Amino acid sequence: MSILVVGSVAFDSVETPFGKAEDILGGSATYFSTAASYFSDVNLVAVVGEDFPEEHIFFLKSKGVNLNGLQRVSGRTFRWKGRYDFNLNEAHTLATHLNVFEKFTPQIPDEYKNLPYIFLANIDPDLQWNVLEQVKKPKLVACDTMNFWITGKRESLIKLLSRVNLFVINEGEARQLAMEPNLVRAARKIMSYGPKIIIIKRGEYGALMFNGSSIFSAPAYPLESIFDPTGAGDTFAGGLIGYLANTDYLEEDNIRQAIVFGSVMASFNVEDFSLNRMKTLSLNEINERYKEFKQLTHFEDI
Ligand code: AMP
């Protein structure tokens, strides 16, 4: 099954304790699409400016991503600048320049309107809503967001969540959205806004899924060297939704496997800046790391 994704395609400038990079390829939809492309067909809707180079278009095309919904308009591409300290779980936003996103209205091509799996990657919740107004009867609507929108567009976000089935969100942002420090209670409160399934991303501590009364906990892969955590959340979502769309099965056991594939994709992505690790990553490496995850969490009955 195929996926429709809307989100940012960006230039990022990132500082970590291990290095610095300026105007590198980033964006929530870019990371998501690249990771999901290992599992399913991906159709992207976003906007870039005149300054966006062909080289990046070529990269996304090389991953098989359908770019018929990528608009190029006059102006500058979205830019994000962030810094990580030694606690790599937390990104500090230094600057957000919406640029071409300020006047953007998503135009969903007719060929995308019946796609069964929708991922509303991190972007203005009003734009995410606009996408849902244009599509027909999706099988799964999944969504991500960040503190920038929780602070700036809280009401739009809460309204959007009434139409979302699966919500992925960072630990700190879940607390902020629910205004509740306890994660179990925060998840329950967010569920009351609409989504039946909440997946809370906890950086190096893994991910927690709340699905009805069941809770599933997946670890993060214990990496020795993490270079740049940018995009970990989006590549996690790419592996997760990519696997769900590929298997087209939305029961708990399959969602648990999908979460592990999400964790596998995120673990590779943080090994290098931007999408550099995705340039060489093979399916074989993904399957091998999935097996290592199984080994990591295996223990015997008493
Ligand atoms: P994450 O997976 O959470 O690390 O997301 C990182 C990506 O989110 C970066 O590549 C940024 O370009 C993008 N990003 C940062 N802020 C925003 C925003 N306010 N709206 C949309 N995308 C953003």
Side-chain angles (χ1 to χ4, degrees):
M1 292 280 161
S2 298
I3 304 169
L4 162 62
V5 55
V6 63
S8 56
V9 173
F11 285 122
D12 290 346
S13 294
V14 180
E15 262 179 65
T16 78
F18 321 109
K20 201 173 161 168
E22 297 245 321
D23 284 345
I24 49 176
L25 176 62
S28 56
T30 316
Y31 280 109
F32 174 89
S33 304
T34 307
S37 72
Y38 284 87
F39 303 91
S40 294
D41 290 335
V42 183
N43 305 274
L44 179 144
V45 171
V47 64
V48 292
E50 291 150 327
D51 53 357
F52 197 73
E54 276 305 308
E55 169 203 343
H56 295 334
I57 303 269
F58 182 78
F59 167 70
L60 285 166
K61 281 191 178 159
S62 76
K63 293 289 176 189
V65 178
N66 182 347
L67 298 180
N68 291 345
L70 179 67
Q71 296 175 36
R72 187 191 280 276
V73 300
S74 63
R76 277 161 70 81
T77 298
F78 175 90
R79 275 168 169 77
W80 177 75
K81 189 169 184 181
R83 193 193 75 230
Y84 299 85
D85 298 327
F86 277 102
N87 174 5
L88 292 169
N89 290 336
E90 206 186 332
H92 301 280
T93 293
L94 303 176
T96 302
H97 300 288
L98 294 176
N99 295 337
V100 290
F101 268 104
E102 262 172 78
K103 292 201 181 127
F104 174 64
T105 314
Q107 304 289 333
I108 310 297
D110 285 342
E111 60 176 311
Y112 291 7
K113 285 187 176 156
N114 284 306
L115 293 176
Y117 285 80
I118 313 282
F119 188 68
L120 307 170
N122 175 27
I123 196 73
D124 184 336
D126 289 331
L127 299 182
Q128 294 174 315
W129 176 272
N130 189 304
V131 170
L132 294 185
E133 291 288 280
Q134 296 178 60
V135 296
K136 296 174 189 150
K137 286 210 174 156
K139 182 163 180 177
L140 181 84
V141 176
C143 170
D144 191 3
T145 194
M146 74 180 292
N147 47 13
F148 186 84
W149 304 114
I150 298 172
T151 309
K153 293 246 174 151
R154 186 182 184 84
E155 279 179 15
S156 297
L157 177 63
I158 290 182
K159 179 176 142 204
L160 173 80
L161 288 178
S162 65
R163 296 175 77 176
V164 168
N165 310 115
L166 186 159
F167 187 40
V168 281
I169 185 166
N170 280 350
E171 177 173 9
E173 288 156 358
R175 293 191 169 105
Q176 183 191 357
L177 176 62
M179 293 191 278
E180 165 61 61
N182 178 284
L183 273 189
V184 180
R185 283 206 219 113
R188 206 177 298 136
K189 184 153 176 204
I190 297 170
M191 273 178 181
S192 76
Y193 301 146
K196 292 229 156 32
I197 306 167
I198 314 277
I199 299 173
I200 299 186
K201 300 169 285 179
R202 306 184 62 226
E204 66 184 313
Y205 306 113
L208 270 179
M209 169 173 68
F210 297 85
N211 183 12
S213 57
S214 128
I215 302 181
F216 172 62
S217 169
Y221 188 75
L223 281 171
E224 210 172 304
S225 50
I226 301 179
F227 212 65
D228 173 16
T230 313
D234 305 309
T235 46
F236 172 86
L240 169 83
I241 305 298
Y243 184 75
L244 288 178
N246 173 297
T247 48
D248 194 26
Y249 183 60
L250 296 173
E251 294 305 320
E252 166 98 15
D253 52 346
N254 206 49
I255 304 174
R256 290 184 179 215
Q257 287 178 309
I259 288 174
V260 176
F261 275 111
S263 307
V264 166
M265 297 310 288
S267 74
F268 281 116
N269 188 63
V270 300
E271 289 177 355
D272 205 341
F273 270 112
S274 184
L275 290 108
N276 290 344
R277 185 61 180 91
M278 297 283 146
K279 290 186 177 153
T280 55
L281 182 65
S282 70
L283 257 183
N284 218 11
E285 288 176 294
I286 294 171
N287 289 330
E288 278 309 308
R289 194 163 281 181
Y290 182 89
K291 287 186 202 146
E292 287 178 55
F293 261 88
K294 184 154 169 48
Q295 214 34 49
L296 182 70
T297 50
H298 178 84
F299 55 89
E300 302 294 342
D301 266 346
I302 48 170

